[in-house]
Amino acid sequence: QLVESGGGLGQPGGSLRLSCAASGFSFSSYAMSWVRRAPEKGLEGVAVIGASGDSSYYVDSVKGRFTISRDNSKNTLYLQMNSLRVEDMATYYCAKPIWGLVIDALDVWGQGTVVTVSS
Amino acid sequence: EVVMTQSPVTLSVSPGESATLSCRASQSISTNLAWYQLKLGQAPRLLIYGASTRATGIPARFSGSRSGTEFTLTISSLQSEDFALYYCQQYNTWATFGGGTKVEIK
């Protein structure tokens, strides 16, 4: 199970930190992803982190602004979102890869947390 | 970046009928293709991975196929709970998703 939190209203240029609490699987053995869906738009992979946290990858539109991290001792995934833009407004999902790989199908998803960016 | 193109954008189907959803990749992705169902307010649900393997617990009325870079999700005998958004995703390289198909009640 994956449960996201931390969404809400952020100002343009501001920051938000999303969290995703994992349970029911060996969290430290799996890479983890953040995926978002903007209103009336499709899904977009935002960031991925390797199982140990040593490697991370980002979609070009968030590079330098977002940071994905994890605390395997707490079974928790994070997404630090800085320099927020209106186009970052979306429902953010954390997701687990089916075979644990950085690039993989995603078989467990959270219900999402909504990020609104507005002044 | 691999671009995934889904068609149609909207599919109107009567309950009990079949639905055929298409997804085209801009380059070869082998069978690294997944299909997801999304209902607003719910967690997305993995239906198919490896282009044609049903995920755990997915009913047999959902099936996936591949022809080159063209992929198809077929839902036979649509049930009321099947009316939703559907997305394809390639995971051959950095994962990218199609624009989605909305399956609505006709």
Side-chain angles (χ1 to χ4, degrees), chain A residues 35 37 41-48 57-59 93 98-99 103-111, chain B residues 34 36 38-46 48-49 85 87 89-95 97-99:
Chain A
V35 178
R37 182 176 181 264
K41 294 200 173 179
L43 294 169
E44 179 182 46
V46 174
V48 181
Y57 308 89
Y58 302 88
V59 68
Y93 301 94
I98 188 168
W99 303 120
I103 300 177
D104 208 348
L106 302 168
D107 69 334
V108 180
W109 296 64
Q111 291 200 317
Chain B
Y36 301 89
L38 178 58
K39 296 180 180 179
L40 297 183
Q42 296 186 17
R45 181 188 183 196
L46 174 66
I48 300 285
Y49 63 93
L85 291 163
Y87 291 93
Q89 174 216 15
Q90 67 79 21
Y91 52 96
N92 194 57
T93 57
W94 171 263
F97 294 83

Side-chain angles (χ1 to χ4, degrees), chain B residues 2 12 25-26 35 48 65 75 78 81 102:
Chain B
V2 179
S12 298
S26 62
W35 289 95
I48 300 285
S65 63
I75 312 170
L78 269 149
E81 62 267 28
K102 180 181 180 181

Side-chain angles (χ1 to χ4, degrees), chain B residues 28-106:
Chain B
S28 176
I29 59 169
S30 186
T31 56
N32 296 313
L33 189 283
W35 289 95
Y36 301 89
Q37 180 190 70
L38 178 58
K39 296 180 180 179
L40 297 183
Q42 296 186 17
R45 181 188 183 196
L46 174 66
L47 301 173
I48 300 285
Y49 63 93
S52 61
T53 302
R54 275 190 302 278
T56 302
I58 301 303
R61 64 180 182 273
F62 291 91
S63 63
S65 63
R66 170 205 178 197
S67 177
T69 58
E70 298 274 350
F71 298 84
T72 301
L73 174 70
T74 302
I75 312 170
S76 61
S77 188
L78 269 149
Q79 307 295 303
S80 58
E81 62 267 28
D82 300 334
F83 292 96
L85 291 163
Y86 291 84
Y87 291 93
C88 62
Q89 174 216 15
Q90 67 79 21
Y91 52 96
N92 194 57
T93 57
W94 171 263
T96 50
F97 294 83
T101 292
K102 180 181 180 181
V103 177
E104 64 177 24
I105 300 175
K106 186 174 182 180

Side-chain angles (χ1 to χ4, degrees), chain A residues 72-87:
Chain A
N72 286 343
S73 68
K74 295 182 179 179
N75 288 351
T76 303
L77 177 72
Y78 303 100
L79 186 67
Q80 178 67 43
M81 307 167 64
N82 296 334
S83 302
L84 282 168
R85 303 172 179 170
V86 171
E87 53 265 35

